[in-house]
Amino acid sequence: MSGSDEERGRAGAGGRYDVPLTVAGPDAEPARRNGHHPAPQAAGDAPEPSPAPERPAEPGPREPAVPDRPGDVWDRRVASGLAFLRRRLSGDYEVDEFGFDPELTDSVFHPLLRLLYRDWFRTEVTGLEHVPADGAGLVVGNHSGTVALDALILSAALHDQHPARRYLRLLGADLVFRMPVMSEIARKTGATVACNPDAERLLRSGELVGVFPEGFKGVGKLYADRYKLQRFGRGGFVSAALRTGTPIVPVAIVGGEEIYPMLADIKPLARLLKLPYFPVTPTFPWLGPLGLVPLPSKWLIEFCPPIPTAHLTDSADDPLVVFNLADQVRETIQQTLHSLLERRPDPFGP
């Protein structure tokens, strides 16, 4: 047996060569890293052509690297807040002759009041079609609650839910404007002193003015007298409406009497502190600062049809006309309160 035949015999018998029998050419595919050799290529087969290089994509509109997601709303809020602070610090905002600051009211005060009237008091507002969409109007409401939250809740709810987003310019008592911090807040939110000259100036400029003729007699009444309207004073609000020919819109508010039920009034302490009354409620002063948290009563607010006054402008100084019109407004509010109380049998219901 020749040497070549002997080698082929040993390979067929299961032997193994330690080195390949043939040496790879320069064009052969390199061996893989795991030690296995690629399958040999037949002699007649042509080498596979290398793939053509990809052509660059045609230039076009580029997609944003980070698409706008719902979470990005916080970025906008932060940017808006920083812009608000920059305007406040630089003085780049406007106030009117009474000190009303619409931007501060919309950005700070109304969001806080919105939590109260919408979530805490679950307020329902009806009759907004009776509030003028533009031009002057005098909104007259009942006052209650030991702390006059009803005026603030009324102004915020009216602005949020009225189609024209109107501001209610409140008329406040002198005591409010003698308090250092409270006076500034009242001015910034659009309130002014409850006097005829200021009321007439606002009405002549086409503003919506809010007044509570009961004053402290309504806010400081005992819980036993809840929803019983007190005397409307001398009818100064009627004179202002008559002189300007402004319609009067009565509004009834149910829910304010239960937030701080006033069980007693400590008059000697009130005189000592120069306050109109010193209330005793189920939570104040027994719980200290926690007693200032209002109870979550259910609120109903209803605006009544307006009472026209344009035909009575010449009777602004007639005491009989003023008294009769004030009595008509008072009776309208009282009857509406009765109907709202029938709709809300449970003060703390849903």
Side-chain angles (χ1 to χ4, degrees):
M1 179 180 295
S2 64
S4 60
D5 294 339
E6 185 177 358
E7 289 177 355
R8 286 194 297 268
R10 285 197 301 267
R16 176 181 176 185
Y17 292 104
D18 293 331
V19 295
L21 294 178
T22 59
V23 179
D27 297 333
E29 184 180 358
R32 301 183 184 273
R33 290 185 179 181
N34 60 5
H36 294 285
H37 297 281
Q41 185 176 351
D45 295 341
E48 295 182 1
S50 60
E54 296 181 358
R55 297 180 59 185
E58 295 293 333
R62 298 181 59 184
E63 296 182 358
V66 180
D68 193 14
R69 296 185 298 271
D72 293 339
V73 66
W74 289 104
D75 296 337
R76 294 192 294 271
R77 290 180 179 177
V78 170
S80 176
L82 293 176
F84 171 76
L85 290 176
R86 184 172 61 251
R87 290 192 300 271
R88 305 308 299 185
L89 294 175
S90 63
D92 187 17
Y93 58 91
E94 297 181 358
V95 297
D96 67 3
E97 58 180 322
F98 294 94
F100 176 45
D101 190 336
E103 184 185 42
L104 187 64
T105 301
D106 291 339
S107 302
V108 178
F109 298 117
H110 278 177
L112 296 175
L113 293 171
R114 192 173 297 123
L115 294 176
L116 276 178
Y117 88 77
R118 186 181 60 189
D119 301 327
W120 190 250
F121 295 139
R122 309 171 305 283
T123 306
E124 297 180 10
V125 182
T126 56
L128 282 169
E129 66 276 7
H130 300 310
V131 180
D134 54 15
L138 185 64
V139 178
V140 183
N142 59 298
H143 225 7
S144 62
T146 306
V147 176
L149 281 181
D150 49 6
L152 303 178
I153 296 298
L154 178 65
S155 63
L158 174 60
H159 177 264
D160 284 356
Q161 301 191 25
H162 194 277
R165 307 278 292 180
R166 301 207 64 182
Y167 294 104
L168 185 64
R169 309 296 296 271
L170 297 171
L171 302 181
D174 295 343
L175 177 63
V176 175
F177 296 94
R178 291 199 303 265
M179 303 173 68
V181 177
M182 188 63 65
S183 173
E184 291 296 324
I185 294 177
R187 291 288 186 185
K188 291 292 186 181
T189 55
T192 189
V193 181
C195 62
N196 274 22
D198 282 4
E200 292 176 18
R201 285 167 60 197
L202 286 170
L203 292 174
R204 286 197 174 95
S205 61
E207 297 288 348
L208 198 62
V209 179
V211 61
F212 297 85
E214 292 175 281
F216 287 119
K217 298 189 299 295
V219 181
K221 63 179 177 289
L222 297 177
Y223 186 68
D225 298 326
R226 59 191 179 278
Y227 300 115
K228 296 178 182 178
L229 291 184
Q230 305 300 300
R231 191 171 63 89
F232 268 19
R234 296 187 296 272
F237 71 96
V238 174
S239 300
L242 292 177
R243 288 192 178 92
T244 57
T246 302
I248 300 175
V249 183
V251 59
I253 305 172
V254 164
E257 298 279 15
E258 291 85 13
I259 59 173
Y260 301 109
M262 187 168 166
L263 306 179
D265 177 14
I266 306 178
K267 296 185 182 299
L269 190 55
R271 287 193 295 268
L272 179 63
L273 298 176
K274 297 182 179 180
L275 297 174
Y277 53 86
F278 188 89
V280 176
T281 72
T283 58
F284 183 83
W286 324 113
L287 299 183
L290 289 178
L292 300 178
V293 177
L295 298 180
S297 59
K298 171 71 176 180
W299 283 47
L300 300 177
I301 300 176
E302 182 171 341
F303 293 91
C304 305
I307 301 173
T309 63
H311 62 291
L312 297 173
T313 54
D314 295 334
S315 304
D317 296 324
D318 188 338
L320 183 59
V321 174
V322 171
F323 175 80
N324 288 338
L325 193 53
D327 190 62
Q328 180 183 352
V329 174
R330 184 180 181 278
E331 186 63 24
T332 300
I333 297 175
Q334 185 67 78
Q335 294 301 322
T336 307
L337 287 175
H338 292 326
S339 63
L340 291 179
L341 289 171
E342 292 177 358
R343 285 174 46 193
R344 192 210 63 165
D346 183 5
F348 299 97

